[in-house]
Amino acid sequence: MPAHVIARGRGTSRRAIKQAKDSDAAFQDHIRKAAGTQGVGAQGVGASATDEPARLAELKDRGAITPEGFEKAKARAMS
């Protein structure tokens, strides 16, 4: 066991774990916001399939997906 853990006790480990969990939660939140997926499903409750191309276009405009990725995803959504 490292000397700093012995010297400072278990509080240091608990704080490090909490910080890692908080950091991961913030990262996951950032990913959800960048992808436009909040809550239930990518479009939320009651959204229609026609909303998907508009959402994809917004992602493409923001640079979150490439034009090629946009075309592929749009083709999947329309099929």
Side-chain angles (χ1 to χ4, degrees):
M1 185 173 280
H4 72 277
V5 174
I6 294 170
R8 296 193 178 181
R10 293 188 177 128
T12 301
S13 296
R14 283 189 217 124
R15 284 189 296 277
I17 291 168
K18 182 183 181 321
Q19 182 181 11
K21 287 180 180 179
D22 291 347
S23 177
D24 184 58
F27 176 72
Q28 294 298 326
D29 185 49
H30 171 73
I31 295 298
R32 280 190 293 279
K33 286 179 182 175
T37 56
Q38 300 286 331
V40 179
Q43 296 103 17
V45 176
S48 70
T50 58
D51 294 335
E52 183 68 3
R55 187 183 72 82
L56 292 168
E58 182 181 332
L59 289 172
K60 182 183 75 161
D61 292 343
R62 289 192 321 214
I65 59 175
T66 64
E68 296 80 19
F70 167 75
E71 291 301 328
K72 287 178 184 178
K74 184 175 80 170
R76 278 192 306 261
M78 300 303 270
S79 61

